[in-house]
């Protein structure tokens, strides 16, 4: 990817993208945006399942297609868990990659040298890299099974990572219940909260409820982008045809893939000529954590129907309550234009 503008090395962050890229049409947009962002040093991309047989491989293949159309085939891609935590007990190559990256670079050089820690490949942390001493960001755009398995396998990575997850319905209903009942924001004193029925089953949490709760309860730093936020990143197909389709092989793929999905039986939930690029905020808040508003709340417990209940024993997480949709979209459109300008725009 060509350098479209420079940023200070000390502002760069090391990221892993975890994506169920083939489940529908918005994940590839988020992958492309991450790869075009100078701040994000993408160390690898992990294929996530979406609760269908063979779905991890389908996600893996779609990731490779995106990389090929962007001429970024040097980015490593790893197969993740084949299903939910209850269905797949083996440790996938994606999980091992998370552990290796977290242990290699998320500490100070002195710490690793003193402890003698290395990755499973025998590599110590990269003390000369601009991310030295910084946490590893894991940008999650699907079920969170791979991250949950990594935390289960190597709990020590908890303090070395920041998880940004597109998932759950968040705590909005809990907070409204507390406010209306005048419990002064203290969820410990809620006598008997009954989660209200949810309007729809939240897809990402719903594909592995156990993994969702393990990560929420893990104590790892978590930035949650719930359904009431990610569903607002709306865009019309007409705008995508004007701004995305003309931009090289990747633009054609992104647009045609979306049109194909929009015409399929799987897209019964869409509005017809618009879409929500709901996975893209994971990239945008990594680039600019201030592109929205967030609160600190105790992580909820996710119920079987994907509704949220208060969990007084859970750790505090960051929950985004708003993300600037035009920042998310215009940043993507501009980077796509600069990296893959339409033929008529080339000088």
């Amino acid at each position: 990817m060509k350098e479209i503008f420079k940023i200070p090395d000390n502002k760069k962050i090391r990221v892993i993208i975890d994506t169920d890229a083939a489940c529908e049409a918005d994940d590839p947009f988020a992958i492309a945006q991450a790869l075009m962002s100078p701040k994000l040093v993408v160390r690898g991309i992990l294929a996530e399942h979406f609760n269908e047989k063979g779905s991890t491989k389908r996600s893996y293949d779609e990731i490779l297609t995106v990389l090929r159309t962007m001429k970024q085939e040097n980015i490593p891609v790893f197969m993740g868990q084949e299903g939910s935590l209850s269905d797949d007990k083996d440790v996938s190559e994606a999980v091992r990659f998370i552990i290796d990256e977290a242990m290699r670079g998320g500490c100070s050089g002195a710490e690793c040298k003193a402890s003698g820690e290395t990755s499973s490949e025998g590599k110590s942390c990269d003390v000369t890299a601009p991310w030295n001493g910084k946490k590893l960001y894991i940008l999650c755009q699907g079920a969170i099974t791979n991250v949950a398995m990594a935390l289960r396998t190597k709990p020590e990575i908890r303090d070395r990572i920041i998880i940004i997850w597109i998932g759950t319905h968040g705590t909005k209903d809990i907070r409204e219940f507390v406010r209306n009942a005048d419990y002064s924001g203290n969820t410990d004193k809620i006598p008997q909260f009954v989660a209200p029925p949810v309007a729809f089953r939240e897809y990402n949490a719903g594909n592995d409820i156990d993994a969702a709760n393990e990560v929420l309860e893990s104590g790892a730093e978590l930035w949650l982008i719930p359904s009431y936020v990610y569903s607002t990143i709306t865009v019309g197909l007409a705008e995508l045809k004007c701004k995305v389709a003309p931009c090289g092989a990747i633009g054609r793929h992104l647009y045609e893939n979306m049109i194909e999905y929009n015409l399929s039986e799987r897209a019964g939930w869409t509005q017809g000529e618009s879409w929500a690029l709901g996975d893209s905020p994971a990239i945008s808040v990594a680039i600019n954590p201030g592109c929205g508003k967030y609160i600190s709340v105790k992580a909820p417990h996710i119920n079987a129907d994907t509704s949220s209940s208060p969990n007084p024993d859970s750790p505090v997480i960051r929950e985004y309550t708003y993300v600037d949709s035009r920042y998310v979209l215009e940043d993507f459109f501009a980077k796509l234009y600069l990296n893959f300008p339409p033929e008529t725009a080339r000088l």
Side-chain angles (χ1 to χ4, degrees):
M1 193 64 58
K2 67 182 180 181
E3 189 176 55
I4 54 178
F5 50 81
K6 292 183 179 293
I7 68 165
D9 280 347
N10 67 340
K11 301 291 178 68
K12 295 178 180 178
I13 60 173
R14 187 174 46 119
V15 306
I16 291 173
I17 301 168
D18 185 272
T19 171
D20 55 356
C23 73
E24 35 106 342
D26 56 323
D27 289 79
F29 283 78
I31 297 170
Q33 187 170 6
L35 294 173
M36 295 186 294
S37 298
K39 179 175 177 176
L40 307 186
V41 181
V42 180
R43 301 290 287 175
I45 306 178
L46 317 180
E48 184 67 74
H49 76 92
F50 45 95
N51 209 21
E52 295 179 11
K53 186 175 181 180
S55 59
T56 305
K57 180 59 165 60
R58 288 162 59 190
S59 292
Y60 181 88
D61 290 343
E62 175 58 23
I63 295 166
L64 293 181
T65 297
V66 171
L67 294 178
R68 185 174 62 253
T69 57
M70 296 182 74
K71 301 188 186 310
Q72 290 290 295
E73 293 167 283
N74 58 316
I75 304 292
V77 183
F78 300 93
M79 285 281 290
Q81 301 300 119
E82 294 289 347
S84 66
L85 289 179
S86 60
D87 294 331
D88 184 6
K89 305 294 186 183
D90 295 331
V91 176
S92 65
E93 61 179 17
V95 168
R96 296 195 185 281
F97 182 72
I98 291 173
I99 293 170
D100 284 349
E101 276 297 312
M103 299 304 295
R104 179 181 301 134
C107 60
S108 68
E111 177 188 344
C112 275
K113 188 174 182 180
S115 66
E117 277 187 348
T118 60
S119 71
S120 63
E121 299 169 347
K123 298 178 182 177
S124 61
C125 69
D126 187 351
V127 298
T128 64
W131 56 76
N132 178 33
K134 297 179 183 178
K135 292 186 177 183
L136 168 69
Y137 286 71
I138 309 176
L139 315 183
C140 300
Q141 304 163 195
I144 203 161
T145 308
N146 293 331
V147 174
M149 180 61 83
L151 286 163
R152 181 184 285 187
T153 305
K154 186 83 169 177
E156 298 95 312
I157 70 171
R158 181 188 66 181
D159 298 324
R160 298 171 181 254
I161 60 177
I162 295 176
I163 303 161
I164 303 178
W165 184 29
I166 306 290
T168 83
H169 288 300
T171 65
K172 187 177 181 181
D173 286 340
I174 297 173
R175 288 182 279 114
E176 288 180 352
F177 177 90
V178 171
R179 184 162 53 247
N180 294 336
D182 193 24
Y183 287 100
S184 303
N186 189 347
T187 56
D188 294 6
K189 295 182 179 179
I190 296 177
Q192 191 170 14
F193 176 89
V194 178
V198 289
F200 60 94
R201 182 176 178 81
E202 201 285 312
Y203 191 74
N204 292 343
N207 279 336
D208 196 343
I209 298 286
D210 291 340
N213 284 318
E214 283 199 25
V215 173
L216 288 165
E217 297 167 6
S218 69
E221 186 170 354
L222 174 62
W223 301 0
L224 187 67
I225 304 173
S227 63
Y228 68 90
V229 176
Y230 70 67
S231 61
T232 66
I233 314 300
T234 54
V235 63
L237 298 184
E239 185 173 17
L240 296 181
K241 186 167 186 176
C242 290
K243 296 181 178 179
V244 175
C247 294
I250 181 60
R252 287 193 301 275
H253 174 69
L254 293 174
Y255 177 72
E256 291 172 2
N257 187 51
M258 178 164 286
I259 293 299
E260 181 181 354
Y261 187 88
N262 193 47
L263 292 171
S264 72
E265 293 181 358
R266 293 173 64 96
W269 53 272
T270 68
Q271 299 302 312
E273 63 169 75
S274 61
W275 202 276
L277 295 183
D279 291 314
S280 296
I283 312 305
S284 298
V285 302
I287 299 168
N288 177 12
C291 72
K293 297 178 180 178
Y294 56 84
I295 57 175
S296 295
V297 293
K298 286 198 169 186
H301 176 80
I302 308 305
N303 304 308
D305 66 351
T306 72
S307 62
S308 299
S309 291
N311 181 1
D313 298 324
S314 68
V316 173
I317 63 170
R318 173 184 296 189
E319 179 177 325
Y320 275 84
T321 59
Y322 163 79
V323 170
D324 184 342
S325 63
R326 289 320 297 179
Y327 170 78
V328 175
L329 294 170
E330 294 296 345
D331 181 72
F332 169 73
F333 294 145
K335 286 170 178 171
L336 187 66
Y337 182 91
L338 290 169
N339 281 281
F340 303 95
E343 291 290 341
T344 56
R346 291 178 183 154
L347 301 177

